[in-house]
Amino acid sequence: MCGIALIVSGVRIELSSLLPDHNLPFPQYPHVHHTGFSIEDIKAALQRRGPDNLGTRKVYLELTSSSYADIEEEEEENPSSFCFSEKKNDCITSTYEVVQNDDSIVLNSVAELHFVGATLQLRGVDPVFQPLVDNLGNVLVYNGEIFGGLHIDRNSNDAECLMHALAKCCSCNWDEHETGCHCFEKGKISVTKLLSTIRGPWATIYWQDSSKTLWFGRDALGRRSLLVHWPTLDDPRLLLSSVSPLSPIKIISDSEVGDGIPDHDFWEELSCGIYSLKLDKLKLVGCLVGEVRRHDWIDPELNELIKWERTYVECKSYEINSLGVSDERAHHITKSTSANGTSSKLGVQMNCTAEHAKLCADSPGSLLNGATVHQATSLPAHRVLDALRESVARRSIINPILQATMGKSETGVRGKMVPVAVLFSGGLDSMILAALLDKCLEPCYEVDLLNVSFDEQFAPDRISARAGVKELQRISPLRRWNLVEIDADLSNLTSETEHVMSLINPSKTYMDLNIGIALWLAAGGDGWVDTGISNNFGQYCQRLKYKSDAKILLVGSGADEQCAGYSRHRTKYRMGGWLGLHEEMKLDMQRIWKRNLGRDDRCISDTGKEVILENLLSLFLLHFLLSVHVIFVCCLG
C-alpha cells in the first residue's frame, strides 16, 4: 500500500465526547476559507511515495428538501434527511482525472468528503485503484496489510477483501449496537468488530453510506501513520492524511528545539483506535452536524496487550533454579533482585547481550546456524524464533504482481532479483531478521542490507554491519548478500533536511530529525557495494555505485522497547529495580505509536517502499514476550 487522505468540509463537527475542551462556537459551512493545506498539497505529498496509481473521489452530501423552510418538518418524518444526489455518477467520480478543479462543487451540496488513495500494489493479481467504491455507495481508502483475522487468498488484494467484508457490516447506530440489535441474526457484525479482528499494520478511512457514517482509525500499535487535523477557528475542516505536505507555516526560532524547526500545530498523530463521525439531524439551516466518537476494541486480546502487563511478576530463587538457568546466571539474577528489593517483570532480550546471541546460535534448532527451529522445544528463545520466522515468512511472500515487475529494466531486460531489503546495522535484531529472511526466500533472490553512516567506514554500525554480512555469507553462501553502504554528511544535507522535516511532522525534536534523516537515507538505498564483500572474496575490492530497488523493507522496530535495549533502561533498573524497569518499558510500548512508529513509517514510505515494522511487533510475539518468565528477558550486567 502507500498512503491515504481525506478532507471533510461543510460539516459542523462535535468533538466534546473526544476532546472535552475542543469545540467550535460557530457552525461550519461548505467551502469556507481556510488557511491550511489543500487537496493538491496532500496529493503531492502522497505522490512522492512513488505509488503505482493515485486517485481521488468526492462524496457530495446534499439535502433532499428543495427549500430550507421544509427542513424541520422533513427531519421529523425522516431523521436521515440528506442523501447522495440522484445524479450519483456526478457525485462520486469514477476516476480522479474527472476532478481536475478541486474548487468545483455540486450546486445543492452542503458538505463534501474528498478522499485520496495512493496505491503501491504488492499483492493481488489485478491492478487495484483507490479509492474503492462499491455499488452501495460505500467508499474505502486503505493503507495496510492483513496477515490474519480476515481471510485473504494469495492472489487477492487486502483492500478489496476488506471492502467486501465492510459492505456486509451492520449499519445500526451506536446505541442499538451496544444494547443489542438483530443484525447478528442476519450474519452481520459491526464495523468496530471487523476492524478489531485484523492482524497486521493498517490505517483506514471508510464511508458507510447506509448509516451516513465515516469510520477511520489505525491499528492498536500504530504501525501505519495517520495524522489528523481537528477543526479549529482558523481551519474548520477535518483532515486525515498518512503524511504532512511541506508546511506553509513560517519557520520560527522559538520552537521546542530551536532555530530551523517549524512549529507543528496543524497536525497531530491520531491516537491508535477506531473512530466514527456520524452525520445526524440538521440542527442549523443549511448545515450538517457530525459527532466524533472513539470506540473500544472488541477483541479482548488487543485490550490486554494495550495494558502491557506481564504474567510473571515475582522472581524467586527457587523459581530460577527450577528453570534450568546456569548457576552463574541464577546467582546474578538473585543478587540483583535482592539488592534492589523488588521483582522483575520483563521479557526475552533480543538485542543487547552476547549471552542470548550464543543461546540462539548454539541451541539445537537455531536459525543462526542454518538449522530448523524445533516446535517441541521448551526454551523461550526457540519459541521466539518460531514466532519471528512465521512473522517474517508471512510478510515477505513474493506475490504474482510483484514477481511480474521485479528485475525488469526500462529496456525490458531482466536484471537483479531483489524483492526484499533489511535495514541493517549488524546488531542482533537486524541479524536475526536477515537470517530468518534467508529461510523464507528462494536462493535465486538477492537480499539488500541497507546501512547508513555519517562517519563513513569508522561508524560502529558500519563496522558491525561488515562483520555481520560475513557471518551471513558463511551460513548461507548460496545467497547473494548486497551490503549497501550509504555514506552521508549532515552538514551537506540542507535540502534533504527540509524535506525530512515535513516527514517527521508533527514530531519536532532534533533527535526525531536525526533519526528521520538516517531512516530516509537508508530506505532510499542509494549507496555503494564493496564487491569484495558482496562476492564472498573477503578482501577489499573497488566499491561500485548501487541503488536498491527492493519494494519491501524489513525493520527491527520494537526490540529495544520490549527487551530493555536502551541505556536509560539500565539507569531505571539501577534506580528502581526490576519493577522500575518494567514500568519504563511499559511506558515505551504504550507511547511507541506517537514517538516512533508513525514517524518511521512516514520517513521510510516516502522512498517508495512498503515498510514492515512489525516483525518484532506482531501481536502473537508481543503476547508471548509478556507471558515468558522474567529470567529470560534481559541481562543488565
Side-chain angles (χ1 to χ4, degrees):
M1 300 307 162
C2 199
I4 60 177
L6 169 73
I7 295 181
V8 179
S9 58
V11 178
R12 169 69 163 88
I13 298 176
E14 298 283 353
L15 297 171
S16 55
S17 62
L18 186 67
L19 306 171
D21 298 329
H22 188 122
N23 201 14
L24 295 180
F26 62 93
Q28 293 182 33
Y29 292 93
H31 324 305
V32 67
H33 173 72
H34 52 79
T35 60
F37 300 102
S38 70
I39 197 71
E40 290 300 325
D41 295 329
I42 292 177
K43 286 164 60 178
L46 293 177
Q47 190 69 56
R48 292 199 309 261
R49 296 182 163 206
D52 297 318
N53 59 75
L54 186 150
T56 66
R57 299 289 189 275
K58 274 188 178 181
V59 175
Y60 297 98
L61 298 175
E62 55 182 301
L63 306 179
T64 56
S65 174
S66 59
S67 82
Y68 291 142
D70 299 329
I71 289 177
E72 289 188 6
E73 180 180 347
E74 288 192 13
E75 284 183 344
E76 293 178 0
E77 297 177 357
N78 180 14
S80 300
S81 58
F82 53 91
C83 64
F84 288 113
S85 167
E86 291 181 358
K87 298 179 180 180
K88 189 172 183 179
N89 291 333
D90 295 331
C91 298
I92 304 179
T93 56
S94 58
T95 59
Y96 100 93
E97 287 84 4
V98 174
V99 192
Q100 291 291 342
N101 182 3
D102 289 315
D103 293 327
S104 65
I105 62 173
V106 171
L107 184 61
N108 295 324
S109 68
V110 296
E112 293 179 8
L113 311 179
H114 202 155
F115 293 84
V116 184
T119 305
L120 176 66
Q121 188 169 350
L122 302 176
R123 293 172 180 81
V125 176
D126 301 318
V128 173
F129 300 90
Q130 293 201 68
L132 298 174
V133 183
D134 65 16
N135 56 8
L136 299 176
N138 304 315
V139 183
L140 174 70
V141 285
Y142 181 73
N143 180 26
E145 295 78 43
I146 300 176
F147 299 122
L150 185 65
H151 177 69
I152 308 292
D153 292 331
R154 175 182 171 83
N155 295 331
S156 298
N157 179 267
D158 304 42
E160 288 184 322
C161 292
L162 179 60
M163 181 66 159
H164 182 70
L166 285 168
K168 299 178 180 179
C169 283
C170 168
S171 60
C172 298
N173 62 42
W174 298 303
D175 295 333
E176 288 176 335
H177 197 77
E178 291 296 329
T179 57
C181 60
H182 297 290
C183 292
F184 180 77
E185 301 172 0
K186 302 177 183 179
K188 293 187 176 183
I189 62 173
S190 67
V191 173
T192 305
K193 186 171 183 178
L194 176 62
L195 294 179
S196 295
T197 64
I198 295 178
R199 294 296 177 263
W202 59 267
T204 192
I205 306 170
Y206 175 65
W207 168 251
Q208 188 182 46
D209 181 47
S210 59
S211 64
K212 299 298 182 291
T213 302
L214 181 73
W215 296 90
F216 56 96
R218 56 197 294 211
D219 69 83
L221 295 177
R223 293 164 291 184
R224 283 288 179 267
S225 169
L226 191 59
L227 304 178
V228 61
H229 166 73
W230 301 115
T232 63
L233 292 173
D234 292 330
D235 192 336
R237 301 172 302 168
L238 170 66
L239 285 83
L240 296 164
S241 179
S242 293
V243 64
S244 168
L246 291 173
S247 177
I249 303 173
K250 182 180 179 181
I251 293 179
I252 60 176
S253 60
D254 58 348
S255 62
E256 181 176 337
V257 294
D259 295 344
I261 304 295
D263 182 22
H264 299 316
D265 289 335
F266 189 85
W267 298 104
E268 66 181 74
E269 296 269 7
L270 181 69
S271 299
C272 302
I274 302 171
Y275 300 78
S276 62
L277 171 63
K278 183 175 178 61
L279 302 184
D280 211 337
K281 295 181 179 180
L282 293 171
K283 297 180 180 179
L284 298 169
V285 174
C287 182
L288 300 181
V289 176
E291 180 183 3
V292 176
R293 290 192 183 183
R294 182 176 178 176
H295 302 267
D296 295 330
W297 298 104
I298 303 299
D299 190 340
E301 180 185 2
L302 287 181
N303 291 313
E304 287 300 316
L305 288 176
I306 292 171
K307 295 177 183 177
W308 215 79
E309 294 292 349
R310 294 198 175 278
T311 303
Y312 297 99
V313 176
E314 299 294 335
C315 184
K316 305 296 185 182
S317 58
Y318 67 86
E319 293 179 324
I320 297 173
N321 295 329
S322 67
L323 288 170
V325 180
S326 66
D327 292 338
E328 181 181 355
R329 177 77 172 127
H331 173 73
H332 168 72
I333 296 173
T334 305
K335 181 179 178 181
S336 299
T337 305
S338 175
N340 288 283
T342 185
S343 58
S344 169
K345 299 169 67 178
L346 310 172
V348 176
Q349 175 69 3
M350 292 297 297
N351 63 341
C352 73
T353 73
E355 178 181 348
H356 285 97
K358 187 174 186 301
L359 173 65
C360 294
D362 294 344
S363 300
S366 169
L367 288 175
L368 291 181
N369 64 10
T372 305
V373 171
H374 293 300
Q375 295 284 350
T377 183
S378 60
L379 284 177
H382 290 157
R383 295 166 64 191
V384 170
L385 286 175
D386 256 346
L388 273 174
R389 181 179 183 177
E390 179 170 347
S391 175
V392 172
R394 298 186 67 170
R395 288 150 178 79
S396 56
I397 294 175
I398 311 303
N399 285 273
I401 197 165
L402 179 58
Q403 288 177 324
T405 59
M406 188 171 48
K408 289 185 177 179
S409 65
E410 294 181 359
T411 61
V413 179
R414 196 153 191 86
K416 54 189 174 66
M417 304 275 287
V418 191
V420 186
V422 180
L423 205 62
F424 192 73
S425 67
L428 186 55
D429 47 0
S430 61
M431 280 289 290
I432 288 177
L433 285 181
L436 292 171
L437 179 62
D438 179 58
K439 302 301 175 183
C440 303
L441 286 180
E442 296 178 11
C444 63
Y445 295 117
E446 303 176 23
V447 174
D448 287 345
L449 306 173
L450 309 180
N451 178 271
V452 66
S453 170
F454 297 103
D455 195 18
E456 297 185 352
Q457 310 307 315
F458 305 103
D461 281 1
R462 177 61 52 79
I463 295 172
S464 61
R466 287 195 161 206
V469 75
K470 290 180 180 179
E471 177 65 12
L472 290 171
Q473 289 169 342
R474 184 187 67 81
I475 67 173
S476 183
L478 297 180
R479 176 84 59 194
R480 183 178 178 90
W481 301 94
N482 302 312
L483 178 59
V484 186
E485 299 181 341
I486 302 157
D487 299 327
D489 183 350
L490 285 175
S491 62
N492 296 328
L493 296 175
T494 303
S495 61
E496 291 86 351
T497 297
E498 293 178 354
H499 179 69
V500 173
M501 281 166 53
S502 70
L503 297 177
I504 68 171
N505 186 353
S507 300
K508 52 184 177 181
T509 69
Y510 278 126
M511 180 176 290
D512 288 314
L513 180 58
N514 291 337
I515 294 173
I517 290 176
L519 289 173
W520 185 75
L521 289 172
D526 193 358
W528 303 82
V529 169
D530 187 328
T531 56
I533 292 179
S534 63
N535 289 327
N536 267 340
F537 298 138
Q539 73 274 11
Y540 175 79
C541 292
Q542 182 180 4
R543 298 173 85 204
L544 302 178
K545 192 65 178 174
Y546 185 92
K547 170 72 173 178
S548 175
D549 295 322
K551 290 296 185 180
I552 301 173
L553 179 59
L554 303 185
V555 183
S557 299
D560 292 312
E561 287 79 8
Q562 294 185 81
C563 307
Y566 296 122
S567 58
R568 56 182 167 80
H569 289 139
R570 191 177 300 269
T571 301
K572 285 291 183 180
Y573 171 73
R574 288 198 301 265
M575 296 175 60
W578 295 110
L579 184 58
L581 177 58
H582 165 71
E583 292 299 329
E584 181 71 8
M585 294 168 67
K586 177 179 179 179
L587 177 63
D588 285 343
M589 288 301 297
Q590 290 183 334
R591 66 185 180 184
I592 192 172
W593 61 272
K594 185 174 184 179
R595 289 168 59 96
N596 303 80
L597 299 183
R599 174 201 66 200
D600 297 353
D601 178 57
R602 292 190 294 276
C603 291
I604 296 175
S605 296
D606 187 72
T607 64
K609 290 181 171 57
E610 178 182 329
V611 54
I612 306 296
L613 292 167
E614 81 284 358
N615 288 296
L616 298 174
L617 288 172
S618 66
L619 298 185
F620 175 79
L621 185 60
L622 261 68
H623 179 76
F624 172 74
L625 289 176
L626 288 173
S627 65
V628 75
H629 204 286
V630 63
I631 64 174
F632 294 107
V633 176
C634 60
C635 179
L636 300 177

